[in-house]
Amino acid sequence: MPLSAATLVQRIGGAFAGFPDTRGQSNNQRYVVEDAALSAFAVFFSQSPSFLDSQVRMQKQQGRNNATSLFGVHEIPSDNQIRNLLDPVPPETLFPLMATISDELHRDGYLDGFRSINNTFLIALDGTDFFSSEKISCPCCTQSKLKNGKTLYRHIAVTPVLVAPKQKNVIPLAPQFVRPQDGHAKQDCELAASGRWLDQWGAHYAAWGVTYLGDDLYCHQPHCERVLGQQAHFFFTCKPDSHSTLYEWVADFSRNGGVTTIERIRRVGKMPFTDTYRYANQVPLRDSDDALMVNWCELVTTNADGKVMFRNAWATSHHITDHNVAAFVAAGRARWKIENENNNTLKTKGYNLEHNFGHGQQNLSNLFATMILLAFLVHTTLDWIDESYRAVRDLLPSRRTFFEHLRALIQYLPFDDWDHLMQFMLKRLDPPDTG
């Protein structure tokens, strides 16, 4: 069945229907876990913390509500009931749904414009904090000792994202959470979590043809070998301080004419800039007999006065040439989209990833974070697959304005379904010309 707003709502409901119910038979069974999950998702999707309260009032006053018609909620639980019902649910329960949505976008050609270096897709890896407290904790928290002797409890997620240099959208993939691991005394970390993500999803996305992007943390031989073991490529930031052997080789190559330099002039308005690319193939990533041989490139951008405006370098498994070095660097710089278009959007553009909607004693914080990522993925998907949704977004290009309109409407007016809501918005925003 092709993707549409209706099928997405059905699939989300189907995924939530599969959530485990850990209540005993003696517990109050009035509310089902599926309704609790749909209610929570509705809050994240609408970016309206008061959405459920408004729908309870709407039901009393008008005999119908949008939680039911738009999201499929049969009966709206209270906030505490939602937290209690969902706390035992592992966030991994939602990962297959997120993967299915991205798979179908790929299958239907919506992601063709994301193909980049050597016709591969770019998946950026990065970790982001979304909760910290000195008082609230759960078994999924990582812990760090502060200078004042207190313990800081944190939640951290690795949020892989499909990016491309010329694409405004990013596609969030299933996350991986940094959390204590059974049988491991050592504290979990971003790199270890990224490794687990590769073990779980690397083979899945290898069929697409993938290049992984990451900062200098990821430019580490075991991690690079892990990527290569998944039949994928890497393009990781490579800093001199952490790769002294590699840069010694680059310096030797440079003295012997083994480093190729290319200069290109470009203008931004009337301002000229010089992009200087340097690259060398087959240099060791570390000082060891089994060092992985990688390819290295660098970009230094200077203005008309010779002032350095940008400098960065990368190590990659792709072979670098005069013809592809600029495209490779553009792909490497697309890694910043995981910060700008994904993590920052989730934290500052209404999704409120860092807000504590409920911490729980088991999985609640990580499950809510996954639901927020799912809501972001669904909004991005609707912008491609749903003509009415896209038309409304064209008329309300500001994300903030769009959600202001959406929240106001669904708080006061009942709608039959998503199509009814979108058509209503279109008619009010773009009324027909009556002559």
PDB file of all heavy atoms in Angstrom, residues 361-391:
ATOM      1  N   GLN A 361      10.678   5.097  35.350  1.00  0.00           N
ATOM      2  CA  GLN A 361      11.641   4.274  36.077  1.00  0.00           C
ATOM      3  C   GLN A 361      12.221   3.161  35.205  1.00  0.00           C
ATOM      4  O   GLN A 361      13.057   2.389  35.674  1.00  0.00           O
ATOM      5  CB  GLN A 361      10.966   3.663  37.301  1.00  0.00           C
ATOM      6  CG  GLN A 361      10.614   4.678  38.370  1.00  0.00           C
ATOM      7  CD  GLN A 361      11.842   5.433  38.862  1.00  0.00           C
ATOM      8  OE1 GLN A 361      12.859   4.828  39.180  1.00  0.00           O
ATOM      9  NE2 GLN A 361      11.741   6.760  38.923  1.00  0.00           N
ATOM     10  N   GLN A 362      11.789   3.100  33.922  1.00  0.00           N
ATOM     11  CA  GLN A 362      12.311   2.062  33.032  1.00  0.00           C
ATOM     12  C   GLN A 362      12.731   2.675  31.689  1.00  0.00           C
ATOM     13  O   GLN A 362      13.889   3.018  31.518  1.00  0.00           O
ATOM     14  CB  GLN A 362      11.267   0.957  32.832  1.00  0.00           C
ATOM     15  CG  GLN A 362      10.895   0.233  34.117  1.00  0.00           C
ATOM     16  CD  GLN A 362       9.857  -0.837  33.890  1.00  0.00           C
ATOM     17  OE1 GLN A 362      10.080  -1.799  33.153  1.00  0.00           O
ATOM     18  NE2 GLN A 362       8.698  -0.683  34.523  1.00  0.00           N
ATOM     19  N   ASN A 363      11.780   2.826  30.780  1.00  0.00           N
ATOM     20  CA  ASN A 363      12.100   3.219  29.405  1.00  0.00           C
ATOM     21  C   ASN A 363      11.457   4.520  28.941  1.00  0.00           C
ATOM     22  O   ASN A 363      11.643   4.922  27.797  1.00  0.00           O
ATOM     23  CB  ASN A 363      11.646   2.111  28.433  1.00  0.00           C
ATOM     24  CG  ASN A 363      12.270   0.779  28.722  1.00  0.00           C
ATOM     25  OD1 ASN A 363      13.480   0.616  28.677  1.00  0.00           O
ATOM     26  ND2 ASN A 363      11.431  -0.207  29.036  1.00  0.00           N
ATOM     27  N   LEU A 364      10.683   5.162  29.809  1.00  0.00           N
ATOM     28  CA  LEU A 364       9.796   6.222  29.349  1.00  0.00           C
ATOM     29  C   LEU A 364      10.529   7.356  28.639  1.00  0.00           C
ATOM     30  O   LEU A 364      10.109   7.810  27.571  1.00  0.00           O
ATOM     31  CB  LEU A 364       8.997   6.786  30.528  1.00  0.00           C
ATOM     32  CG  LEU A 364       7.853   7.734  30.156  1.00  0.00           C
ATOM     33  CD1 LEU A 364       6.781   6.986  29.362  1.00  0.00           C
ATOM     34  CD2 LEU A 364       7.237   8.342  31.413  1.00  0.00           C
ATOM     35  N   SER A 365      11.628   7.834  29.216  1.00  0.00           N
ATOM     36  CA  SER A 365      12.337   8.965  28.620  1.00  0.00           C
ATOM     37  C   SER A 365      12.833   8.635  27.220  1.00  0.00           C
ATOM     38  O   SER A 365      12.670   9.420  26.285  1.00  0.00           O
ATOM     39  CB  SER A 365      13.512   9.373  29.520  1.00  0.00           C
ATOM     40  OG  SER A 365      14.122  10.548  29.048  1.00  0.00           O
ATOM     41  N   ASN A 366      13.425   7.465  27.046  1.00  0.00           N
ATOM     42  CA  ASN A 366      13.923   7.071  25.733  1.00  0.00           C
ATOM     43  C   ASN A 366      12.788   6.784  24.751  1.00  0.00           C
ATOM     44  O   ASN A 366      12.907   7.065  23.553  1.00  0.00           O
ATOM     45  CB  ASN A 366      14.827   5.841  25.846  1.00  0.00           C
ATOM     46  CG  ASN A 366      16.162   6.155  26.491  1.00  0.00           C
ATOM     47  OD1 ASN A 366      16.531   7.318  26.631  1.00  0.00           O
ATOM     48  ND2 ASN A 366      16.889   5.126  26.890  1.00  0.00           N
ATOM     49  N   LEU A 367      11.683   6.236  25.251  1.00  0.00           N
ATOM     50  CA  LEU A 367      10.535   5.980  24.374  1.00  0.00           C
ATOM     51  C   LEU A 367       9.948   7.292  23.869  1.00  0.00           C
ATOM     52  O   LEU A 367       9.647   7.425  22.671  1.00  0.00           O
ATOM     53  CB  LEU A 367       9.465   5.191  25.128  1.00  0.00           C
ATOM     54  CG  LEU A 367       8.182   4.914  24.336  1.00  0.00           C
ATOM     55  CD1 LEU A 367       8.459   4.010  23.136  1.00  0.00           C
ATOM     56  CD2 LEU A 367       7.107   4.299  25.234  1.00  0.00           C
ATOM     57  N   PHE A 368       9.779   8.285  24.759  1.00  0.00           N
ATOM     58  CA  PHE A 368       9.253   9.576  24.325  1.00  0.00           C
ATOM     59  C   PHE A 368      10.198  10.232  23.313  1.00  0.00           C
ATOM     60  O   PHE A 368       9.748  10.843  22.336  1.00  0.00           O
ATOM     61  CB  PHE A 368       9.048  10.489  25.527  1.00  0.00           C
ATOM     62  CG  PHE A 368       7.777  10.227  26.299  1.00  0.00           C
ATOM     63  CD1 PHE A 368       7.538  10.870  27.511  1.00  0.00           C
ATOM     64  CD2 PHE A 368       6.817   9.354  25.821  1.00  0.00           C
ATOM     65  CE1 PHE A 368       6.356  10.646  28.223  1.00  0.00           C
ATOM     66  CE2 PHE A 368       5.642   9.120  26.526  1.00  0.00           C
ATOM     67  CZ  PHE A 368       5.417   9.755  27.726  1.00  0.00           C
ATOM     68  N   ALA A 369      11.504  10.127  23.522  1.00  0.00           N
ATOM     69  CA  ALA A 369      12.454  10.687  22.560  1.00  0.00           C
ATOM     70  C   ALA A 369      12.284  10.028  21.191  1.00  0.00           C
ATOM     71  O   ALA A 369      12.335  10.694  20.150  1.00  0.00           O
ATOM     72  CB  ALA A 369      13.882  10.508  23.062  1.00  0.00           C
ATOM     73  N   THR A 370      12.063   8.720  21.181  1.00  0.00           N
ATOM     74  CA  THR A 370      11.848   8.005  19.914  1.00  0.00           C
ATOM     75  C   THR A 370      10.554   8.458  19.251  1.00  0.00           C
ATOM     76  O   THR A 370      10.499   8.617  18.027  1.00  0.00           O
ATOM     77  CB  THR A 370      11.818   6.488  20.166  1.00  0.00           C
ATOM     78  OG1 THR A 370      13.014   6.093  20.834  1.00  0.00           O
ATOM     79  CG2 THR A 370      11.718   5.730  18.851  1.00  0.00           C
ATOM     80  N   MET A 371       9.516   8.680  20.033  1.00  0.00           N
ATOM     81  CA  MET A 371       8.252   9.170  19.476  1.00  0.00           C
ATOM     82  C   MET A 371       8.422  10.561  18.855  1.00  0.00           C
ATOM     83  O   MET A 371       7.817  10.863  17.815  1.00  0.00           O
ATOM     84  CB  MET A 371       7.173   9.212  20.560  1.00  0.00           C
ATOM     85  CG  MET A 371       6.611   7.867  20.950  1.00  0.00           C
ATOM     86  SD  MET A 371       5.219   8.078  22.097  1.00  0.00           S
ATOM     87  CE  MET A 371       4.603   6.393  22.181  1.00  0.00           C
ATOM     88  N   ILE A 372       9.234  11.405  19.484  1.00  0.00           N
ATOM     89  CA  ILE A 372       9.483  12.739  18.927  1.00  0.00           C
ATOM     90  C   ILE A 372      10.214  12.622  17.591  1.00  0.00           C
ATOM     91  O   ILE A 372       9.879  13.312  16.619  1.00  0.00           O
ATOM     92  CB  ILE A 372      10.273  13.587  19.938  1.00  0.00           C
ATOM     93  CG1 ILE A 372       9.390  13.922  21.140  1.00  0.00           C
ATOM     94  CG2 ILE A 372      10.786  14.877  19.289  1.00  0.00           C
ATOM     95  CD1 ILE A 372      10.122  14.572  22.299  1.00  0.00           C
ATOM     96  N   LEU A 373      11.200  11.729  17.523  1.00  0.00           N
ATOM     97  CA  LEU A 373      11.888  11.482  16.253  1.00  0.00           C
ATOM     98  C   LEU A 373      10.918  10.959  15.202  1.00  0.00           C
ATOM     99  O   LEU A 373      10.973  11.351  14.032  1.00  0.00           O
ATOM    100  CB  LEU A 373      13.024  10.476  16.462  1.00  0.00           C
ATOM    101  CG  LEU A 373      14.278  10.993  17.154  1.00  0.00           C
ATOM    102  CD1 LEU A 373      15.167   9.827  17.587  1.00  0.00           C
ATOM    103  CD2 LEU A 373      15.052  11.924  16.230  1.00  0.00           C
ATOM    104  N   LEU A 374      10.016  10.073  15.615  1.00  0.00           N
ATOM    105  CA  LEU A 374       9.014   9.542  14.689  1.00  0.00           C
ATOM    106  C   LEU A 374       8.099  10.656  14.189  1.00  0.00           C
ATOM    107  O   LEU A 374       7.772  10.712  12.990  1.00  0.00           O
ATOM    108  CB  LEU A 374       8.190   8.456  15.386  1.00  0.00           C
ATOM    109  CG  LEU A 374       7.031   7.863  14.582  1.00  0.00           C
ATOM    110  CD1 LEU A 374       7.525   7.192  13.302  1.00  0.00           C
ATOM    111  CD2 LEU A 374       6.234   6.869  15.446  1.00  0.00           C
ATOM    112  N   ALA A 375       7.674  11.564  15.073  1.00  0.00           N
ATOM    113  CA  ALA A 375       6.825  12.680  14.647  1.00  0.00           C
ATOM    114  C   ALA A 375       7.542  13.545  13.619  1.00  0.00           C
ATOM    115  O   ALA A 375       6.951  13.954  12.614  1.00  0.00           O
ATOM    116  CB  ALA A 375       6.423  13.519  15.864  1.00  0.00           C
ATOM    117  N   PHE A 376       8.817  13.826  13.847  1.00  0.00           N
ATOM    118  CA  PHE A 376       9.616  14.603  12.902  1.00  0.00           C
ATOM    119  C   PHE A 376       9.717  13.885  11.560  1.00  0.00           C
ATOM    120  O   PHE A 376       9.571  14.494  10.498  1.00  0.00           O
ATOM    121  CB  PHE A 376      11.000  14.845  13.509  1.00  0.00           C
ATOM    122  CG  PHE A 376      11.917  15.672  12.654  1.00  0.00           C
ATOM    123  CD1 PHE A 376      11.452  16.727  11.890  1.00  0.00           C
ATOM    124  CD2 PHE A 376      13.276  15.403  12.635  1.00  0.00           C
ATOM    125  CE1 PHE A 376      12.308  17.493  11.114  1.00  0.00           C
ATOM    126  CE2 PHE A 376      14.148  16.159  11.865  1.00  0.00           C
ATOM    127  CZ  PHE A 376      13.660  17.211  11.101  1.00  0.00           C
ATOM    128  N   LEU A 377       9.941  12.569  11.597  1.00  0.00           N
ATOM    129  CA  LEU A 377      10.019  11.781  10.367  1.00  0.00           C
ATOM    130  C   LEU A 377       8.690  11.812   9.614  1.00  0.00           C
ATOM    131  O   LEU A 377       8.664  11.949   8.383  1.00  0.00           O
ATOM    132  CB  LEU A 377      10.399  10.343  10.708  1.00  0.00           C
ATOM    133  CG  LEU A 377      10.367   9.333   9.550  1.00  0.00           C
ATOM    134  CD1 LEU A 377      11.333   9.734   8.442  1.00  0.00           C
ATOM    135  CD2 LEU A 377      10.683   7.925  10.069  1.00  0.00           C
ATOM    136  N   VAL A 378       7.577  11.709  10.334  1.00  0.00           N
ATOM    137  CA  VAL A 378       6.266  11.714   9.679  1.00  0.00           C
ATOM    138  C   VAL A 378       5.982  13.074   9.044  1.00  0.00           C
ATOM    139  O   VAL A 378       5.464  13.150   7.922  1.00  0.00           O
ATOM    140  CB  VAL A 378       5.160  11.331  10.687  1.00  0.00           C
ATOM    141  CG1 VAL A 378       3.773  11.540  10.076  1.00  0.00           C
ATOM    142  CG2 VAL A 378       5.322   9.871  11.111  1.00  0.00           C
ATOM    143  N   HIS A 379       6.321  14.168   9.724  1.00  0.00           N
ATOM    144  CA  HIS A 379       6.128  15.492   9.126  1.00  0.00           C
ATOM    145  C   HIS A 379       6.940  15.627   7.834  1.00  0.00           C
ATOM    146  O   HIS A 379       6.438  16.147   6.822  1.00  0.00           O
ATOM    147  CB  HIS A 379       6.554  16.585  10.116  1.00  0.00           C
ATOM    148  CG  HIS A 379       5.586  16.802  11.218  1.00  0.00           C
ATOM    149  ND1 HIS A 379       5.977  17.067  12.505  1.00  0.00           N
ATOM    150  CD2 HIS A 379       4.224  16.796  11.243  1.00  0.00           C
ATOM    151  CE1 HIS A 379       4.904  17.213  13.270  1.00  0.00           C
ATOM    152  NE2 HIS A 379       3.837  17.049  12.524  1.00  0.00           N
ATOM    153  N   THR A 380       8.180  15.179   7.867  1.00  0.00           N
ATOM    154  CA  THR A 380       9.021  15.242   6.668  1.00  0.00           C
ATOM    155  C   THR A 380       8.435  14.394   5.548  1.00  0.00           C
ATOM    156  O   THR A 380       8.416  14.801   4.381  1.00  0.00           O
ATOM    157  CB  THR A 380      10.449  14.760   7.002  1.00  0.00           C
ATOM    158  OG1 THR A 380      10.974  15.549   8.069  1.00  0.00           O
ATOM    159  CG2 THR A 380      11.356  14.876   5.800  1.00  0.00           C
ATOM    160  N   THR A 381       7.946  13.218   5.908  1.00  0.00           N
ATOM    161  CA  THR A 381       7.359  12.317   4.916  1.00  0.00           C
ATOM    162  C   THR A 381       6.100  12.918   4.300  1.00  0.00           C
ATOM    163  O   THR A 381       5.908  12.862   3.072  1.00  0.00           O
ATOM    164  CB  THR A 381       7.047  10.957   5.570  1.00  0.00           C
ATOM    165  OG1 THR A 381       8.254  10.390   6.089  1.00  0.00           O
ATOM    166  CG2 THR A 381       6.428   9.997   4.558  1.00  0.00           C
ATOM    167  N   LEU A 382       5.239  13.497   5.116  1.00  0.00           N
ATOM    168  CA  LEU A 382       4.013  14.098   4.602  1.00  0.00           C
ATOM    169  C   LEU A 382       4.315  15.238   3.629  1.00  0.00           C
ATOM    170  O   LEU A 382       3.577  15.446   2.661  1.00  0.00           O
ATOM    171  CB  LEU A 382       3.159  14.624   5.764  1.00  0.00           C
ATOM    172  CG  LEU A 382       2.465  13.568   6.622  1.00  0.00           C
ATOM    173  CD1 LEU A 382       1.790  14.222   7.816  1.00  0.00           C
ATOM    174  CD2 LEU A 382       1.449  12.785   5.797  1.00  0.00           C
ATOM    175  N   ASP A 383       5.399  15.948   3.869  1.00  0.00           N
ATOM    176  CA  ASP A 383       5.777  17.044   2.977  1.00  0.00           C
ATOM    177  C   ASP A 383       6.086  16.538   1.578  1.00  0.00           C
ATOM    178  O   ASP A 383       5.993  17.283   0.599  1.00  0.00           O
ATOM    179  CB  ASP A 383       6.989  17.776   3.557  1.00  0.00           C
ATOM    180  CG  ASP A 383       7.069  19.221   3.084  1.00  0.00           C
ATOM    181  OD1 ASP A 383       6.069  19.732   2.549  1.00  0.00           O
ATOM    182  OD2 ASP A 383       8.128  19.845   3.252  1.00  0.00           O
ATOM    183  N   TRP A 384       6.446  15.271   1.455  1.00  0.00           N
ATOM    184  CA  TRP A 384       6.708  14.670   0.143  1.00  0.00           C
ATOM    185  C   TRP A 384       5.495  13.973  -0.455  1.00  0.00           C
ATOM    186  O   TRP A 384       5.211  14.109  -1.642  1.00  0.00           O
ATOM    187  CB  TRP A 384       7.842  13.648   0.268  1.00  0.00           C
ATOM    188  CG  TRP A 384       9.216  14.228   0.206  1.00  0.00           C
ATOM    189  CD1 TRP A 384       9.647  15.280  -0.546  1.00  0.00           C
ATOM    190  CD2 TRP A 384      10.360  13.792   0.944  1.00  0.00           C
ATOM    191  NE1 TRP A 384      10.976  15.512  -0.339  1.00  0.00           N
ATOM    192  CE2 TRP A 384      11.441  14.617   0.575  1.00  0.00           C
ATOM    193  CE3 TRP A 384      10.582  12.781   1.872  1.00  0.00           C
ATOM    194  CZ2 TRP A 384      12.724  14.453   1.096  1.00  0.00           C
ATOM    195  CZ3 TRP A 384      11.847  12.623   2.391  1.00  0.00           C
ATOM    196  CH2 TRP A 384      12.909  13.449   2.010  1.00  0.00           C
ATOM    197  N   ILE A 385       4.794  13.216   0.370  1.00  0.00           N
ATOM    198  CA  ILE A 385       3.806  12.293  -0.189  1.00  0.00           C
ATOM    199  C   ILE A 385       2.393  12.848  -0.224  1.00  0.00           C
ATOM    200  O   ILE A 385       1.556  12.333  -0.970  1.00  0.00           O
ATOM    201  CB  ILE A 385       3.795  10.964   0.595  1.00  0.00           C
ATOM    202  CG1 ILE A 385       3.253  11.192   2.015  1.00  0.00           C
ATOM    203  CG2 ILE A 385       5.170  10.332   0.632  1.00  0.00           C
ATOM    204  CD1 ILE A 385       2.977   9.917   2.784  1.00  0.00           C
ATOM    205  N   ASP A 386       2.096  13.870   0.580  1.00  0.00           N
ATOM    206  CA  ASP A 386       0.724  14.360   0.694  1.00  0.00           C
ATOM    207  C   ASP A 386       0.617  15.728   0.032  1.00  0.00           C
ATOM    208  O   ASP A 386       1.160  16.712   0.524  1.00  0.00           O
ATOM    209  CB  ASP A 386       0.314  14.437   2.165  1.00  0.00           C
ATOM    210  CG  ASP A 386      -1.177  14.703   2.338  1.00  0.00           C
ATOM    211  OD1 ASP A 386      -1.580  15.864   2.126  1.00  0.00           O
ATOM    212  OD2 ASP A 386      -1.910  13.765   2.684  1.00  0.00           O
ATOM    213  N   GLU A 387      -0.096  15.792  -1.079  1.00  0.00           N
ATOM    214  CA  GLU A 387      -0.190  17.023  -1.856  1.00  0.00           C
ATOM    215  C   GLU A 387      -0.825  18.157  -1.057  1.00  0.00           C
ATOM    216  O   GLU A 387      -0.372  19.308  -1.129  1.00  0.00           O
ATOM    217  CB  GLU A 387      -0.997  16.768  -3.132  1.00  0.00           C
ATOM    218  CG  GLU A 387      -1.064  17.951  -4.073  1.00  0.00           C
ATOM    219  CD  GLU A 387      -1.799  17.628  -5.357  1.00  0.00           C
ATOM    220  OE1 GLU A 387      -2.002  16.437  -5.646  1.00  0.00           O
ATOM    221  OE2 GLU A 387      -2.180  18.580  -6.075  1.00  0.00           O
ATOM    222  N   SER A 388      -1.867  17.853  -0.291  1.00  0.00           N
ATOM    223  CA  SER A 388      -2.537  18.898   0.487  1.00  0.00           C
ATOM    224  C   SER A 388      -1.632  19.425   1.595  1.00  0.00           C
ATOM    225  O   SER A 388      -1.541  20.631   1.830  1.00  0.00           O
ATOM    226  CB  SER A 388      -3.838  18.356   1.087  1.00  0.00           C
ATOM    227  OG  SER A 388      -4.743  17.976   0.066  1.00  0.00           O
ATOM    228  N   TYR A 389      -0.955  18.518   2.286  1.00  0.00           N
ATOM    229  CA  TYR A 389      -0.028  18.925   3.348  1.00  0.00           C
ATOM    230  C   TYR A 389       1.063  19.821   2.771  1.00  0.00           C
ATOM    231  O   TYR A 389       1.398  20.865   3.338  1.00  0.00           O
ATOM    232  CB  TYR A 389       0.572  17.678   3.990  1.00  0.00           C
ATOM    233  CG  TYR A 389       1.489  17.951   5.169  1.00  0.00           C
ATOM    234  CD1 TYR A 389       1.012  17.897   6.467  1.00  0.00           C
ATOM    235  CD2 TYR A 389       2.842  18.241   4.979  1.00  0.00           C
ATOM    236  CE1 TYR A 389       1.850  18.136   7.560  1.00  0.00           C
ATOM    237  CE2 TYR A 389       3.685  18.491   6.058  1.00  0.00           C
ATOM    238  CZ  TYR A 389       3.184  18.430   7.341  1.00  0.00           C
ATOM    239  OH  TYR A 389       4.015  18.678   8.402  1.00  0.00           O
ATOM    240  N   ARG A 390       1.606  19.418   1.631  1.00  0.00           N
ATOM    241  CA  ARG A 390       2.675  20.204   1.003  1.00  0.00           C
ATOM    242  C   ARG A 390       2.165  21.574   0.576  1.00  0.00           C
ATOM    243  O   ARG A 390       2.865  22.583   0.718  1.00  0.00           O
ATOM    244  CB  ARG A 390       3.234  19.443  -0.199  1.00  0.00           C
ATOM    245  CG  ARG A 390       4.429  20.127  -0.862  1.00  0.00           C
ATOM    246  CD  ARG A 390       5.110  19.203  -1.845  1.00  0.00           C
ATOM    247  NE  ARG A 390       4.233  18.720  -2.882  1.00  0.00           N
ATOM    248  CZ  ARG A 390       3.750  17.477  -2.952  1.00  0.00           C
ATOM    249  NH1 ARG A 390       4.075  16.588  -2.024  1.00  0.00           N
ATOM    250  NH2 ARG A 390       2.967  17.107  -3.935  1.00  0.00           N
ATOM    251  N   ALA A 391       0.928  21.627   0.077  1.00  0.00           N
ATOM    252  CA  ALA A 391       0.355  22.909  -0.337  1.00  0.00           C
ATOM    253  C   ALA A 391       0.176  23.842   0.859  1.00  0.00           C
ATOM    254  O   ALA A 391       0.432  25.052   0.772  1.00  0.00           O
ATOM    255  CB  ALA A 391      -0.983  22.681  -1.043  1.00  0.00           C
TER     256      ALA A 391
END
